[in-house]
Amino acid sequence: MVSSDMTTAEPPAEDSGGVWQALAGGPGGFLGSLWPLRALGYLLAGGVLGLGWLFLAVGLVVVGILLLPTGIGVVALLCVPASAAGLAGLERRRLRWLDPREAPSPHQDASAAEPEESGGNAARRALRSLWRRTKSPATWVEFGFAVPNALLSLLDLLVAVLGLGLVASQPFALFTVLGGDQVMYGESIVLTEPHQVLPWLLLTPVFAALACYLFAGLAGMRAALARAALVGPRRERELDARLTEVTASRARLADAFEVERRRIERDLHDGAQQRLTGLIMTLGLAKLDADPALVAKAQEEARAVLTELRDLVRGIHPSVLTDRGLGAAIEALAERSPIPVRVESRLGARRPAEALEVAAYFAAAEALTNVAKHSGASHATVAILGGQALTVEVRDDGRGGADPDRGTGLTGLADRLAVHGGRLRLSSPQGGPTVVRIELPGTDG
């Protein structure tokens, strides 16, 4: 399968860099931002989630052991690692609070690889899904994260409570004294009057700044630990590989554009320009001799130039695509094809964006060219489907065995689609049939 996917998620401008960059930006920018509150929220939510999962896991283990002879206990025990996977999913979502980088789930690839199961009742399907999730290696990695995370959640809550208590200590001391009670700092310092508390109250901003840095530091370390355990080096390598492929795709596309520019320049120089030069000379001779034969020849030359220019312009951007849309443009391609091509168009009333139509048109043109040159097919079918996504499927009855590495233009075709966040899917077993599926999002950009 040839696949090229350019979809990317850009973090909001205010989130770029994460909590560590905010800490490095200096006290003015950090303390005046929402980062301390976000870090405090991260710690409080993490503490609640971690301890909540611990109580749930202990309850499931107890129920599982007690009901093990009935079979229900087995299900309860299987739910323990499965619940850890659920906790890990929440933790990956919470990483967005402090870290704008993508945190994909390792279960996405596994679920895509599993065939859909529709047999049996709902209970059987749920049990099969639970078993698949439990036997996944990623689930046990997440379970290994959940157990120490539950213990570290106590630290999260403790630091959050102590930090808030430190900030509120002096205002609370003032209210205590105003209520008629006394506040003691050791045996030697006893505060009984409001004016005695006011100097201590001036320490509140200092305590607040210390608490903010404490919250952010601990939250940043906890988020880094969660990313290392739940995203891990493998997923980071996959993201790096995807970025490398995107960069290479763009470089290949730039090279292809340069080659196409030189081809157009060569065609104009060797074709239309030479014909126009000959036409000018013929018209000059006709003017001198008033020869009807030369005039007729000049007319033929003019028609040939016009035809050549039309063919050249059609290769750059066919006018029928602009005037009548993708369906009509591909039907025009089918009419010029050396093999019979049937077009089935279900685009609907709303046309796709012009850039998507152009990308789909030239991808379909390249696919039909490959069919005519390499497949040995007797006929082909092009199906066009609109809606939330634009899909063009080219199917032929040829010999199959299409290989992107043999220079059939499929790699360049995938690169053209990648610019618009689209992808190319290829199925071409030996003996055929060959199916090229062009998929583009419903909106460009």
Side-chain angles (χ1 to χ4, degrees):
M1 176 184 292
V2 177
S3 179
S4 183
D5 191 349
M6 293 280 289
T7 54
T8 56
E10 294 294 335
E14 63 271 15
D15 290 349
S16 60
V19 66
W20 294 116
Q21 183 170 336
L23 283 169
F30 171 71
L31 295 176
S33 68
L34 293 177
W35 283 109
L37 291 178
R38 295 170 72 165
L40 175 61
Y42 187 87
L43 294 177
L44 291 174
V48 172
L49 286 175
L51 292 179
W53 177 84
L54 181 62
F55 290 133
L56 174 64
V58 171
L60 289 172
V61 170
V62 172
V63 171
I65 293 174
L66 293 177
L67 300 180
L68 193 59
T70 66
I72 298 177
V74 176
V75 177
L77 292 176
L78 290 177
C79 286
V80 175
S83 64
L87 174 68
L90 292 175
E91 289 292 336
R92 278 187 288 267
R93 288 179 177 273
R94 290 199 316 119
L95 283 175
R96 183 68 180 179
W97 297 4
L98 301 178
D99 188 342
R101 292 177 295 169
E102 185 180 359
S105 169
H107 298 286
Q108 291 174 349
D109 298 335
S111 61
E114 290 287 347
E116 291 292 332
E117 295 184 358
S118 57
N121 56 28
R124 287 182 179 273
R125 291 196 297 271
L127 286 175
R128 285 196 293 264
S129 177
L130 177 62
W131 173 245
R132 285 199 307 271
R133 178 56 61 93
T134 303
K135 70 179 183 179
S136 170
T139 297
W140 290 100
V141 171
E142 291 164 341
F143 179 72
F145 163 80
V147 175
N149 178 74
L151 302 178
L152 289 175
S153 297
L154 289 172
L155 176 63
D156 295 344
L157 290 177
L158 180 62
V159 169
V161 171
L162 287 179
L164 291 175
L166 185 64
V167 174
S169 61
Q170 300 312 308
F172 179 76
L174 179 60
F175 285 116
T176 300
V177 172
L178 290 175
D181 295 328
Q182 62 181 13
V183 176
M184 298 181 62
Y185 295 108
E187 297 182 357
S188 59
I189 301 177
V190 179
L191 306 179
T192 59
E193 299 294 333
H195 68 272
Q196 295 176 312
V197 181
L198 291 179
W200 294 91
L201 193 62
L202 297 178
L203 293 175
T204 298
V206 178
F207 292 155
L210 291 175
C212 288
Y213 277 96
L214 182 63
F215 295 155
L218 179 59
M221 288 188 289
R222 294 285 282 116
L225 176 63
R227 174 171 288 276
L230 301 179
V231 180
R234 184 181 69 86
R235 297 299 295 184
E236 296 287 359
R237 286 195 299 269
E238 290 177 358
L239 294 176
D240 290 342
R242 184 189 302 177
L243 180 60
T244 301
E245 174 58 27
V246 167
T247 304
S249 175
R250 288 177 174 173
R252 290 194 300 267
L253 197 61
D255 292 340
F257 283 151
E258 179 62 20
V259 170
E260 185 70 9
R261 184 192 66 78
R262 291 177 180 176
R263 182 192 67 80
I264 294 171
E265 181 181 6
R266 184 175 61 253
D267 289 348
L268 286 172
H269 180 271
D270 297 341
Q273 182 174 327
Q274 297 300 324
R275 287 186 177 275
L276 286 172
T277 302
L279 175 60
I280 291 171
M281 294 176 63
T282 303
L283 289 173
L285 292 174
K287 182 179 179 180
L288 292 174
D289 299 339
D291 187 350
L294 290 177
V295 175
K297 182 180 179 181
Q299 288 179 331
E300 290 299 323
E301 287 288 337
R303 293 190 186 98
V305 171
L306 181 60
T307 300
E308 189 166 331
L309 286 175
R310 282 176 176 171
D311 291 340
L312 184 60
V313 170
R314 185 184 295 115
I316 300 173
H317 187 96
S319 58
V320 66
L321 182 62
T322 302
D323 298 337
R324 298 171 55 195
L326 180 62
I330 292 183
E331 287 177 357
L333 276 178
E335 292 175 359
R336 298 194 301 270
S337 175
I339 65 171
V341 178
R342 180 165 57 92
V343 179
E344 301 172 356
S345 179
R346 296 190 297 275
L347 278 172
R350 183 177 180 182
R351 288 181 58 174
E354 182 180 3
L356 299 182
E357 284 191 324
V358 172
Y361 171 82
F362 283 106
E366 179 69 25
L368 288 175
T369 300
N370 288 339
V371 171
K373 288 184 177 179
H374 307 290
S375 71
S378 61
H379 69 274
T381 302
V382 181
I384 313 167
L385 181 64
Q388 293 184 348
L390 175 60
T391 303
V392 180
E393 185 176 280
V394 181
R395 179 186 297 265
D396 68 72
D397 63 345
R399 67 177 68 95
D403 186 356
D405 297 329
R406 293 194 311 209
T408 57
L410 292 172
T411 301
L413 200 158
D415 291 340
R416 181 188 289 273
L417 299 177
V419 173
H420 305 281
R423 65 174 58 181
L424 174 72
R425 298 185 183 276
L426 170 67
S427 173
S428 185
Q430 290 294 338
T434 295
V435 180
V436 176
R437 186 178 177 87
I438 300 155
E439 299 175 351
L440 288 160
T443 57
D444 187 24

